[in-house]
Amino acid sequence: MFSRVPSRPLAAMGLIALALGLAGRAAATASGAAAFDVILRRGTILDGTGRPRFVGDVGIRGGTIAAVGDLNGAPTTVEIDVTGLFVTPGF
């Protein structure tokens, strides 16, 4: 009756939780030099607006999603490559 959940989605959820945790930690220790505490790079973004999914970045500052889109060149404390993973900011 039960199906096995693939480990990749679980790993992705853990990665997002890690990113948010690092963002909070970085916000507490950083002096504001970086625009973002964490940037999730090159993920497939499903933003819940009804728009088609797209590949982009998610910038996190102070434990909150601060920007979604092309953040190429934006300074960050931590960068995580999420290529091939779905990112659903705000869900």
Side-chain angles (χ1 to χ4, degrees):
M1 290 258 98
F2 294 101
S3 62
R4 186 175 184 285
V5 176
S7 61
R8 187 140 169 107
L10 294 178
M13 288 188 303
L15 187 64
I16 301 305
L18 172 66
L20 290 173
L22 288 173
R25 184 169 152 219
T29 60
S31 61
F36 300 102
D37 302 321
V38 176
I39 295 181
L40 304 175
R41 297 269 188 207
R42 296 173 290 281
T44 301
I45 299 174
L46 301 165
D47 63 9
T49 64
R51 293 185 340 176
R53 61 186 176 194
F54 62 98
V55 174
D57 308 321
V58 176
I60 302 168
R61 184 184 313 113
T64 302
I65 296 167
V68 176
D70 182 3
L71 303 178
N72 191 25
T76 184
T77 304
V78 177
E79 183 173 288
I80 301 173
D81 186 330
V82 293
T83 301
L85 300 176
F86 287 103
V87 181
T88 57
F91 285 92

